[in-house]
Amino acid sequence: HASTCPGRHQSAKHRNVCHSTKYLMLHIRDCPGLLSNGDVCPFPWCRKVKHLLYHLVSCERSPDGNERCTVCSPPKLSPNLAALVGLNYHRRHKF
């Protein structure tokens, strides 16, 4: 949602979440991890988010198999996240 959201939410909290998420996504996409002088990116979350995204796209433990990844498929999920898992499963197997 955040990637295409124009940010015109009535709720200031919702608007702030969309703007923050969009900024995070753009930064992660564009940041090489190092500044031009060789220093590490000053945002403490940058490297962690890059590692998480790499894991999510490269994890070979199948959520449908016996060996479940505790990062990709944690044992206890909120109802909203459980619904998202179902939606992702449907997308993965539909195409």
Side-chain angles (χ1 to χ4, degrees):
H1 167 85
S3 64
T4 59
C5 176
R8 295 187 204 107
H9 298 286
Q10 290 181 347
S11 164
K13 185 177 179 181
H14 194 171
R15 186 170 48 250
N16 187 34
V17 167
C18 286
H19 285 142
S20 297
T21 304
K22 185 178 283 194
Y23 173 76
L24 175 116
M25 290 175 7
L26 291 171
H27 177 85
I28 294 301
R29 182 194 69 189
D30 298 338
C31 179
L34 295 175
L35 302 177
S36 58
N37 65 0
D39 288 346
V40 176
C41 176
F43 294 107
W45 43 262
C46 178
R47 187 177 178 120
K48 293 176 184 179
V49 172
K50 283 183 178 289
H51 283 263
L52 175 62
L53 290 175
Y54 175 79
H55 172 85
L56 292 174
V57 299
S58 63
C59 182
E60 295 188 15
R61 293 184 191 171
S62 170
D64 307 316
N66 295 332
E67 189 179 4
R68 293 183 71 124
C69 175
T70 57
V71 173
C72 298
S73 302
K76 294 183 179 181
L77 292 176
S78 70
N80 286 342
L81 287 177
L84 184 60
V85 168
L87 178 62
N88 288 341
Y89 177 83
H90 175 73
R91 282 188 193 155
R92 218 176 293 130
H93 290 82
K94 181 180 176 186
F95 301 107

